[in-house]
Amino acid sequence: MFIRNSRYTFQNFIVGANNELAYSAATAIIKDLGKKYNPLFIYGGVGLGKTHLIQATGNELKKIYKNKIGVRYVSTETFVNEVINGIKNKRMEDVKNKYRKVDILIVDDIQFIAGRDSTQEEFFHTFNALFNAGKQIVISSDRPPKEIAHLEERLRSRFLSGLIADIQRPDLDTRCAILRSKAREEGLDVQEDVIQMIAQNVDSNIRELEGSLTRLSAYSSLSGKEINLELANEALKEIISEHQPRSVTCEDVLDAVSAYYSVTVEDLIGPSGV
């Protein structure tokens, strides 16, 4: 069965303090499907590696078990659309067979199911069918189950019954390791001072971190210049400036207060404003 991106593996997933629990849980279920951590619910912000980890789990299962087990990966958006079309075209039996007859179901971005009554109904029954049959369920979300608004309580309860593991923003050492790994993967010769500079200035998420290295590589290729600290500062000046802390002046405070309360700055600092 289909796993969307075969490049996502455990081998190229960089493990750090920010994601160690989620990674350990994902690797643990490989040996004990449906028994140890079921469901496995992984959550974290955008671009922190959730999709990489859950797809790596599916790819590892395919590599180990070949065609002996059925692995199904689906984004919640796709699942929602399939349920809608199934209801519309009276083909819900096909949808049920597709998702209830697998050995492991991997669902990405489950938060998008919130507020969709028909889809939540179908997913609840799919979840129960798989769980009761001892099949493994892996779910990702951008927030923990308790913080997903408009999620049915019975689904929330099911999600909370397994292991909840979060992925946080990577620390400096992990960001450096990610950049080194990406550079090796792309065949780039990037010196350590460049790695450190990028890692210190880009700390929001892995996607932006890797994007910075891609931009630097393209800049080097197009300009014909070798990658060094000077070129990195030139190529990434816009990205770096976005991440620099901005000092707040008295004028900034006055402008913000003026806009919020719909009064002029003159009124704020004049005799009547004190």
Side-chain angles (χ1 to χ4, degrees):
M1 290 185 183
F2 177 66
I3 294 297
R4 182 169 293 178
N5 195 330
S6 61
R7 293 189 302 107
Y8 288 146
T9 67
F10 286 147
Q11 288 68 39
N12 60 19
F13 183 83
I14 304 302
V15 183
N18 63 306
N19 58 24
E20 189 172 11
L21 175 61
Y23 173 81
S24 297
T27 54
I29 66 172
I30 300 291
K31 305 172 185 176
D32 211 3
L33 285 176
K35 297 176 181 178
K36 198 161 191 178
Y37 306 124
N38 199 22
L40 172 58
F41 190 104
I42 297 172
Y43 75 92
V46 174
L48 296 183
K50 301 185 300 298
T51 296
H52 184 150
L53 184 56
I54 63 174
Q55 289 197 30
T57 304
N59 287 329
E60 187 71 11
L61 285 166
K62 285 185 66 179
K63 184 173 74 174
I64 293 173
Y65 295 99
K66 308 298 182 184
N67 295 321
K68 295 178 182 178
I69 65 170
V71 181
R72 175 75 66 186
Y73 166 88
V74 65
S75 69
T76 299
E77 181 183 7
T78 297
F79 185 79
V80 168
N81 289 334
E82 289 187 359
V83 170
I84 292 172
N85 290 331
I87 294 172
K88 179 180 177 181
N89 300 319
K90 298 181 180 180
R91 300 287 299 272
M92 277 306 298
E93 202 61 33
D94 292 341
V95 177
K96 292 176 183 179
N97 289 333
K98 182 176 182 178
Y99 291 104
R100 298 186 192 184
K101 294 183 177 181
V102 296
D103 296 289
I104 175 168
L105 178 62
I106 302 172
V107 185
D108 207 356
D109 285 327
I110 197 64
Q111 72 273 5
F112 292 125
I113 205 173
R116 299 179 178 274
D117 294 342
S118 297
T119 308
Q120 290 195 60
E121 176 79 18
E122 177 57 28
F123 189 76
F124 173 77
H125 293 299
T126 295
F127 184 106
N128 281 347
L130 292 171
F131 185 85
N132 292 334
K135 307 304 183 182
Q136 181 68 50
I137 303 164
V138 179
I139 298 169
S140 84
S141 173
D142 66 354
R143 68 205 75 172
K146 290 183 178 180
E147 294 181 12
I148 301 177
H150 309 297
L151 180 68
E152 290 184 3
E153 282 304 317
R154 58 181 180 172
L155 270 180
R156 197 188 315 276
S157 176
R158 296 297 191 277
F159 296 162
L160 290 169
S161 68
L163 176 65
I164 312 295
D166 69 323
I167 296 182
Q168 301 174 358
R169 290 167 64 173
D171 59 20
L172 178 61
D173 289 340
T174 305
R175 295 198 299 274
C176 288
I178 291 167
L179 287 168
R180 294 187 196 105
S181 176
K182 181 69 173 178
R184 285 195 301 270
E185 184 181 316
E186 299 295 330
L188 300 175
D189 182 16
V190 184
Q191 299 301 311
E192 186 61 25
D193 58 349
V194 176
I195 294 288
Q196 292 286 337
M197 187 276 283
I198 298 174
Q200 288 170 2
N201 285 282
V202 181
D203 62 356
S204 54
N205 62 59
I206 296 169
R207 197 172 297 157
E208 190 169 356
L209 196 65
E210 293 182 338
S212 298
L213 194 60
T214 300
R215 178 185 175 94
L216 177 58
S217 173
Y219 199 90
S220 170
S221 177
L222 293 172
S223 67
K225 299 177 182 178
E226 67 175 25
I227 296 176
N228 54 34
L229 192 58
E230 181 181 359
L231 186 72
N233 279 306
E234 181 181 346
L236 304 177
K237 58 186 177 183
E238 293 179 4
I239 295 173
I240 292 172
S241 65
E242 290 177 1
H243 290 81
Q244 294 297 326
R246 179 174 177 267
S247 58
V248 179
T249 65
C250 292
E251 287 75 15
D252 293 329
V253 174
L254 287 170
D255 288 340
V257 174
S258 169
Y260 185 84
Y261 288 105
S262 300
V263 296
T264 66
V265 173
E266 288 72 18
D267 287 338
L268 286 172
I269 61 178
S272 62
V274 178

